[in-house]
């Protein structure tokens, strides 16, 4: 809040406010009301009103409350502050809920509360709350959790705020009782907080220790928390994952689905170019076996993302995408399919034609292998058809008749999917066009012929159009086709002559024959002459029989339809085989949207008109740079396998020490090695064939890549070192007394700090002398010993119950008076029988066998 | 925030349903069905947590635990801690056990209103209110005493035996 300069409001006190007598303060507050009423901003004084509302004297309290009601609007942060400082910890705890919501929305405006939160957390952790807030000997764990979550939000990316938190978070981590559930919950929150605020080496170390404890635990719950925490911490210190590689792999192979998913999340976060193959393969294996579409979609899109980002080779990328499409093709975004097509068309290599064509042939080969499989998803079939049409015959390995036969099979076996059929027909057209352009004779396969015939009578106008186009194109001569359908030109930009200048001579001819000049649409209204209207009317009547949405078209368009009028309606359906038109269609084939393929006769006719005179409906597919940029990283990265080597020694040692303790299956070792660096046993590392091929394939560009690899290597190494640089360490976990000063600040003092930061010192002074720490009220309150003594043995028992985690075989000795309650149970049983209610199991008394 | 608390038996029959944000009855039924579908497919000796994005919308998790024939399920978002929720569930069950001395499924069926009262003492508006089962038991007893005194409709019936004698 911006505060006006002091001298503007001479009436209002600014100096610390502590030396002002209360009755005078009351006067000032009233002045404040007037200042606000006149329209000035008096927000600097709000805090005094808030303070006065807490006064013991009734008249002052009244004035304060009045001022607060008038000055603060409902959502002002200070209203919450007044509650945050409430004497009742319950109210304080409840205030945390809305505050945390507010901070989640906008952390910036609450930075000044960090000190308050830290001091509250410190007091809670030091057991200065009444005993009744304890749970399993943890002081108010739910409040601690909430506060830690808030601090994590406030401290992220904020050095000053983070530094204020280090001590208290460190203290709590040390104190946490890691044998109870709730203790671990708080510990986990601490790790989350540490990983969210600016890193502190000591805290990171402590967090890493806790994580290893979690992961070593037998409880699946704790393992889950450990994996989750590891995923959070890995951004800060990537090397921590290596210590836990085997634990992670165990979790990956665990039958527990929740744990598995969490582990995949972790793997997703730690994917590098060196382990992408193993991780993505694992993900796909898992994806194949699950039924949950929601999660399948998620994991499929993650696979795609990782593959695009880190693919070590083109072949591997294509194979991976094939697998993803095969198993989750209906779930992934159709854009992914389009990206894949574009990638194959544009190629990976910078200017390496050889590599590109190799990529394409490998794609064609893999698709021909897959194409026969039943139940391929539509998106995948679209990609297959497009690639086969574009590059199926490009390398001369497969004959045109073979490819076209396959395409016909696709169209036939997916007769219900118009989109796939459209792609197949477009591909057929391309193959035939390439054949004719190359001067070869085309013999259309009989099944292909029948397919075309069938489609030219299809209900889908789009398919119809494509079928007729195909017939029209293959009847052209080689030269014409060569210019209509140039080979491998899908990436070329198409120049569109918007003025349609090539039609000029045609127009001129028509004029000479006495045709009316074209009147632009905006000049046309009002100049309708009766004769054309009449003929138009006549025409519309003939069409109306099929038109259901009447009067949809505005009248002014009418004269532009003069030429179609002369044609019979049936010819309207057939696209005029003008040389310019198929060219357009051929390009639109891959991008055209099929939504407008409704069987409305009128619409179709308009289409033809639009193509000639309307705005161009088609815009060339903008060659996007996204895939090529990702490509660059890919190539930079292909060379980087060797990068892992420098670190191999340390890994080897840490790994060996572990190995001596436990016997580990070689399979797991291999997996660990490939996941966590791969330098462990380089000769055993599973290297995919695709990988090898890639190395040879990019031979020619290898030098450039090498350089890149080196650059990225150094970049990565700097990246690696930066988080390790110790930020100024204010925290000394060993000596809490040194840093105790700051966190002891009373929230009230902080409030005064809000008033004027320059007077912090005096405010501190004031708070220290006058208002006692609010928590201390409870410190010497007589504890109701009853509750605590009851709670303690109970909690111990409960812990054992919780950790056993069994459910049915657990002994549950909470209640000592429980033993001989057989009679009770029998009574209940008898009642049940009497009522005619049959219990769902043989044991209606469900806790009896549990409780012993 | 805790989004909801569900207690159902191993046949998928809901015994207690409480949502802290508005859900239509149909939606509730569907949620229960789907949660049951997930729960009954879980192996034994696995973790008690499930990512519930696909069931209850984004940013939801659920913690469940089986007590004999009953599934106890807490649905909550990322502002809560999973382990802490598990402990809170323990508090709830513990309290039920104290209130019904040797609680069984039928206790919950016949005294559902008392069960709701207990739950309300522990969770309010999706936030944790009380974690000490002794305190909860005290409060519930107080409420039933008041009701007895004021002679209004009974919110907390005494027990099955009381119900039987009527």
């Amino acid at each position: 809040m911006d505060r006006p300069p002091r001298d503007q409001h001479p009436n209002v006190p600014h100096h610390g406010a502590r030396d002002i007598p209360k009755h005078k303060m009351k006067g000032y507050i009233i002045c404040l009301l007037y200042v606000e009423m006149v329209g000035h901003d008096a927000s600097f004084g709000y805090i005094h009103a808030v303070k006065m509302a807490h006064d013991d004297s009734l008249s002052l309290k009244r004035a304060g409350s009045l001022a607060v009601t008038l000055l603060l609007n409902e959502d002002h942060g200070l209203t919450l502050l007044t509650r945050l400082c409430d004497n009742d910890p319950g109210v304080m705890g409840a205030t945390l809920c809305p505050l945390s919501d507010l901070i989640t929305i906008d952390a910036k405006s609450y930075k000044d509360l960090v000190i308050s939160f830290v001091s509250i957390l410190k007091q809670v952790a030091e057991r200065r709350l009444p005993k009744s807030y304890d749970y399993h000997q943890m002081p108010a764990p739910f409040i601690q959790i909430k506060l830690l979550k808030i601090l994590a939000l406030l401290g992220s990316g904020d050095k000053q705020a983070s530094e204020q938190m280090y001590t208290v978070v460190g203290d709590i981590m040390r104190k946490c009782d890691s044998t109870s559930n709730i203790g671990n919950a708080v510990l986990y929150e601490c790790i989350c907080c540490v990983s969210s605020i600016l890193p502190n080496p000591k805290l990171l170390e402590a967090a890493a220790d806790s994580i290893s404890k979690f992961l070593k635990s037998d409880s699946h719950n704790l393992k889950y928390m450990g994996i989750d925490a590891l995923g959070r911490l890995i951004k800060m210190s990537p090397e921590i994952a290596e210590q836990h590689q085997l634990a992670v792999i165990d979790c990956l192979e665990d039958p527990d689905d929740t744990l598995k998913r969490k582990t995949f999340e972790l793997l997703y976060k730690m994917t590098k170019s060196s382990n992408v193959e193993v991780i993505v393969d694992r993900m796909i294996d898992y994806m194949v076996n699950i039924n949950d579409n929601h999660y399948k979609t998620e994991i499929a899109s993650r696979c795609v993302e990782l593959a695009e980002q880190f693919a070590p080779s083109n072949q591997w990328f294509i194979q991976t995408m094939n697998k993803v499409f095969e198993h989750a093709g209906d779930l992934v975004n159709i854009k992914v399919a389009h990206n894949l097509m574009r990638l194959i068309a544009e190629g990976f290599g910078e200017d390496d034609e050889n590599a590109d064509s190799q990529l394409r042939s490998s794609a064609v080969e893999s698709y021909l292998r897959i194409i026969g499989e039943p139940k391929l998803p539509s998106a995948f079939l679209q990609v297959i058809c497009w690639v086969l049409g574009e590059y199926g015959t490009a390398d001369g390995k497969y004959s045109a008749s073979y490819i076209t036969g396959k395409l016909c099979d696709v169209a036939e076996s997916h007769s219900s999917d118009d989109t796939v059929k459209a792609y197949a027909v477009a591909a057929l057209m391309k193959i035939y066009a390439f054949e004719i352009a190359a001067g070869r004779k085309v013999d259309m396969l009989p099944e292909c012929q029948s397919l075309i015939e069938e489609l030219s009578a299809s209900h889908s106008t789009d398919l119809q159009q494509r079928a007729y186009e195909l017939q029209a194109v293959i009847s052209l001569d080689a030269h014409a086709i060569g210019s209509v359908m140039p080979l491998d030109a899908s990436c070329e930009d198409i120049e569109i002559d918007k003025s349609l200048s090539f039609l000029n001579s045609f127009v001129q001819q028509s004029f000479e024959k006495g045709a009316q000049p074209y009147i632009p649409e905006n000049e046309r209204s009002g100049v309708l002459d009766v004769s054309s209207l009449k003929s138009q009317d006549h025409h519309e009547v003939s069409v109306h029989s099929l038109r259901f949405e009447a009067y949809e078209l505005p009248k002014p368009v009418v004269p532009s339809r003069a030429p179609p009028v002369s044609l019979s309606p049936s010819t309207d359906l057939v696209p005029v085989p003008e040389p310019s038109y198929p060219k357009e269609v051929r390009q639109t084939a891959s991008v055209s949207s099929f939504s407008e393929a409704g069987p409305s006769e009128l619409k179709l006719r308009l289409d033809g008109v639009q193509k000639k005179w309307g705005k161009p409906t088609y815009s060339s597919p903008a060659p996007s740079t996204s895939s090529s940029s990702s490509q660059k990283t890919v190539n930079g990265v292909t060379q980087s396998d060797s990068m892992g080597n420098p670190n191999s020694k340390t890994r080897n040692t840490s790994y060996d020490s572990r190995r001596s303790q436990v016997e580990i299956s070689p399979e797991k070792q291999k997996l660990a090695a490939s996941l966590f660096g791969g330098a462990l046993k380089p000769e055993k590392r599973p290297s995919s064939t695709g990988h090898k091929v890639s190395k040879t394939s990019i031979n020619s560009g290898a030098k450039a890549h090498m350089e890149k690899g080196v650059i990225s290597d150094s970049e990565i190494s700097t990246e690696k070192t930066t988080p390790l640089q110790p930020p100024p360490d204010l925290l000394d976990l060993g000596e809490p007394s040194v840093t105790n000063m700051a966190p002891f600040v009373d929230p009230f003092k902080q409030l005064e700090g809000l008033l004027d930061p320059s007077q912090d010192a005096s405010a501190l002074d004031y708070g220290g002398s006058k208002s006692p720490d609010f928590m201390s009220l409870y410190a010497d309150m007589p504890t109701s010993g009853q509750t605590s003594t009851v709670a303690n043995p109970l909690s111990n028992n409960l812990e054992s119950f919780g950790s056993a985690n069994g459910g049915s075989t657990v002994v549950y000795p909470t209640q000592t008076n429980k033993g001989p309650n057989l009679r009770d149970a029998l009574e209940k049983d008898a009642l049940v029988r009497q009522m005619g209610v049959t219990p769902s199991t043989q044991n209606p008394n469900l806790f009896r066998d549990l409780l012993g | 925030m805790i989004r909801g608390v569900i207690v159902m038996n191993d046949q998928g029959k809901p015994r207690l349903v409480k949502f802290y944000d508005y859900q239509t009855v149909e939606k509730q039924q569907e949620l229960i069905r789907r949660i049951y579908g997930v729960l009954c497919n879980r192996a034994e000796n696995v973790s008690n947590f499930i990512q519930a994005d696909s069931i209850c919308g984004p940013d939801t998790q659920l913690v469940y635990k089986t007590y004999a024939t009953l599934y106890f399920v807490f649905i909550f978002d990322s502002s809560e801690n999973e382990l802490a929720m598990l402990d809170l569930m323990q508090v709830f069950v513990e309290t039920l056990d104290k209130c019904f001395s040797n609680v069984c499924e039928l206790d919950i069926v016949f005294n559902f209103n008392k069960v709701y009262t207990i739950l309300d003492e522990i969770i309010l508006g999706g936030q944790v209110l009380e974690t000490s089962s002794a305190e909860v038991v005290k409060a519930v007893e107080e409420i039933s005493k008041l009701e007895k005194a004021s002679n209004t409709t009974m919110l907390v019936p005494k027990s099955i035996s009381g119900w039987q004698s009527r």
Side-chain angles (χ1 to χ4, degrees), chain A residues 97 100-101 132-136 141-142 145-146 149 180-186 188-189 214 220-222 224-225 228 254-259 261-262 265 292 294-295 298 787 790 794 798 801-802 804-808 812 814-815 818 821-822 824-825 827-828 831-832 834-835 837 839-841 843-851, chain B residues 1-2 9-11 15 34 42-55 57-58 61-62 64-70 72 77-91 93-108 110 126-135 138 160-161 163-164:
Chain A
C97 302
S100 81
D101 283 352
S132 61
Y133 282 85
D134 281 10
Y135 175 72
H136 287 199
F142 282 88
I145 288 170
K146 200 124 241 166
K149 279 196 194 278
S180 73
N181 242 347
I182 196 76
N184 285 323
V186 174
Y188 164 80
E189 264 340 303
F214 282 164
H220 277 81
N221 291 343
L222 287 186
Y224 170 90
M225 298 310 248
D228 186 76
D254 202 275
D256 185 352
D257 215 40
T258 315
L259 193 56
R261 287 185 190 185
K262 208 65 195 178
E265 218 165 273
D292 177 358
H294 179 87
Y295 190 65
E298 191 181 304
T787 52
V790 169
L794 188 68
L798 286 174
F801 180 69
N805 195 21
S808 55
Y812 186 58
T814 355
Q815 308 246 324
K818 264 259 158 88
N821 239 345
L822 217 74
D824 227 1
E827 254 175 39
K828 278 181 190 174
L831 170 70
V832 169
Q834 197 183 325
M835 299 289 303
V837 181
S840 54
T841 63
N843 181 13
N845 194 4
L846 69 142
F847 280 96
R848 212 191 66 204
D849 54 346
L850 288 184
L851 304 174
Chain B
M1 174 187 166
I2 300 169
N9 69 4
D10 51 9
Q11 321 270 301
R15 294 306 184 201
R34 291 172 71 177
R42 298 273 296 179
E44 278 189 27
N45 287 327
V46 294
S47 67
N48 301 66
F49 313 136
I50 297 175
Q51 299 281 344
D53 309 37
S54 57
I55 307 170
Q61 281 170 303
L62 58 86
Y64 75 98
K65 198 160 182 181
T66 35
Y67 291 92
T69 59
L70 289 177
F72 282 71
D77 63 19
S78 63
S79 68
E80 303 290 344
N81 181 302
E82 292 95 327
L83 284 174
M85 284 300 115
L86 197 60
D87 261 20
L88 193 68
M89 188 183 292
Q90 182 66 40
V91 171
V93 175
E94 208 177 286
T95 315
L96 288 181
D97 201 53
K98 278 182 190 165
C99 287
F100 292 110
S101 62
N102 235 350
V103 66
C104 75
E105 189 179 335
L106 282 173
D107 284 329
I108 295 175
F110 288 127
Q127 303 291 348
V128 182
L129 193 64
E130 181 59 69
T131 50
S132 147
S133 63
E135 292 286 323
K138 221 191 282 172
I160 299 182
S161 49
W163 177 83
Q164 187 190 19

Side-chain angles (χ1 to χ4, degrees), chain A residues 410-632:
Chain A
V410 171
E412 267 161 37
S413 55
H414 297 84
S415 53
S416 58
D417 190 341
D418 279 358
T419 316
V420 168
K421 276 199 279 189
Y423 269 90
V425 174
L428 282 175
M429 179 159 71
K430 278 183 229 169
I431 301 251
Y432 286 132
F434 297 156
E435 284 297 294
I436 295 169
R440 284 188 285 268
K441 200 175 166 295
V442 169
D443 288 322
M444 212 189 252
L445 295 174
E447 68 252 42
C448 186
Q449 211 123 32
S450 64
L451 175 73
I452 300 296
E453 269 164 37
E454 183 201 319
L455 291 187
S456 46
S458 165
H459 284 298
S460 157
T461 49
D462 178 70
L463 287 178
Q464 242 181 36
Q465 184 179 343
R466 281 164 196 275
Y468 280 111
E469 275 166 22
L470 189 147
Q471 285 169 340
V473 166
I474 56 175
S475 66
L476 296 174
D477 65 78
H479 177 70
I481 286 187
S483 54
V484 169
M485 288 277 194
L487 192 60
D488 187 20
S490 61
C491 300
E492 246 117 87
D493 288 343
I494 295 165
E495 300 274 331
I496 295 174
D497 187 357
K498 279 189 185 170
S499 63
L500 304 179
S501 57
F502 55 88
L503 285 173
N504 281 351
S505 60
F506 176 77
V507 172
Q508 201 61 42
Q509 264 178 1
S510 307
F511 281 155
E512 278 161 16
K513 284 177 191 162
Q516 294 285 317
Y518 174 70
I519 306 165
E521 193 179 359
N522 46 4
E523 296 168 24
R524 215 177 295 148
S525 53
V527 285
L528 293 166
D529 63 318
V530 185
S531 64
S532 76
L533 191 66
K534 214 170 149 191
S535 70
Q536 186 55 38
D537 276 345
H538 171 71
H539 172 73
E540 286 212 336
V541 167
S542 70
V543 183
H544 260 183
S545 57
L546 282 176
R547 242 184 89 179
F548 296 106
E549 323 131 353
Y551 314 122
E552 171 188 62
L553 291 169
K555 276 288 173 197
V557 195
V558 161
S560 74
R561 287 215 211 108
V565 170
S566 61
L567 299 165
S568 74
S570 67
T571 50
D572 275 350
L573 288 173
V574 188
V576 189
E578 266 172 292
S580 68
Y581 183 38
K583 178 166 184 170
E584 267 187 11
V585 170
R586 187 240 167 200
Q587 291 299 335
T588 43
S590 58
V591 265
S592 72
S593 71
F594 299 91
S595 58
E596 48 190 18
S600 149
E601 200 177 340
L602 187 75
K603 230 175 184 170
L604 188 82
R605 188 159 44 76
L606 267 180
D607 256 352
V609 173
Q610 249 186 343
K611 286 260 156 63
K612 280 177 206 155
W613 286 289
K615 287 174 195 162
T617 52
Y618 162 72
S619 60
S620 74
S624 105
T625 51
S626 71
S627 68
S628 65
S629 66
S630 78
Q631 174 42 33
K632 273 174 197 157

Side-chain angles (χ1 to χ4, degrees), chain A residues 131 136 190-191 345 354 449 579 583 654 678 695 732 771-772 785 844:
Chain A
K131 269 270 182 267
H136 287 199
C190 285
I191 298 171
N354 198 21
Q449 211 123 32
K583 178 166 184 170
S654 73
K695 278 196 175 151
D732 194 344
S771 67

